[in-house]
């Protein structure tokens, strides 16, 4: 089954985003599933390729600032969303990748805007999530 994959270092934000997306998918009678993960360690960044393939992920959503939190003795990682997109694009040129972040206007993120389908403010997604989920 096709899935949307969420990558974020903040567990609460990840779970909230997952719940919101699942709710919108239910409203659209979609059979897509949503899975999430804490960012992989810096020396394991190449594991995203396998994670995406093994889970049949057809759309990715991640945060810009993934280098702040730790979880279960993992992290924080030394990369951000605008860096991760370049790694993902090495293997998946056409997979839709979105950033949902509280740091929408970050200069480094904006410089890589062309690598993403869209850069969405977190509050904007909370208010108008249905219009974005339709695009996933």
């Amino acid at each position: 089954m096709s899935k949307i994959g969420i990558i974020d270092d903040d567990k609460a934000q990840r779970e909230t985003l997952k719940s919101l997306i699942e709710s919108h998918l239910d409203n659209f009678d979609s059979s897509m599933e949503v899975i999430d993960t804490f960012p992989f360690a810096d020396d394991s960044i190449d594991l995203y390729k396998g994670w995406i393939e093994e889970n049949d992920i057809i759309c990715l959503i991640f945060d810009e600032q993934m280098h702040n939190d730790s979880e279960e003795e993992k992290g924080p990682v030394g990369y951000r969303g605008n860096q991760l997109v370049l790694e993902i694009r090495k293997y998946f040129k056409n997979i839709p990748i979105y950033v949902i972040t509280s740091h929408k206007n970050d200069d480094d993120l904006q410089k890589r805007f062309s690598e993403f389908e869209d850069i969405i403010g977190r509050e904007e997604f909370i208010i108008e999530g249905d219009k974005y989920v339709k695009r996933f």
Side-chain angles (χ1 to χ4, degrees), residues 83-102:
Q83 296 163 312
L84 178 58
V85 71
L86 298 178
E87 293 299 316
I88 301 290
R89 290 286 180 225
K90 288 179 185 177
Y91 305 106
F92 304 97
K93 303 280 187 221
N94 298 316
I95 190 169
I97 302 175
Y98 295 84
V99 172
I100 298 178
T101 183
S102 298

Side-chain angles (χ1 to χ4, degrees), residues 72-87:
E72 298 174 10
E73 299 180 29
K74 295 184 225 171
V77 298
Y79 56 88
R80 297 170 49 180
N82 74 74
Q83 296 163 312
L84 178 58
V85 71
L86 298 178
E87 293 299 316

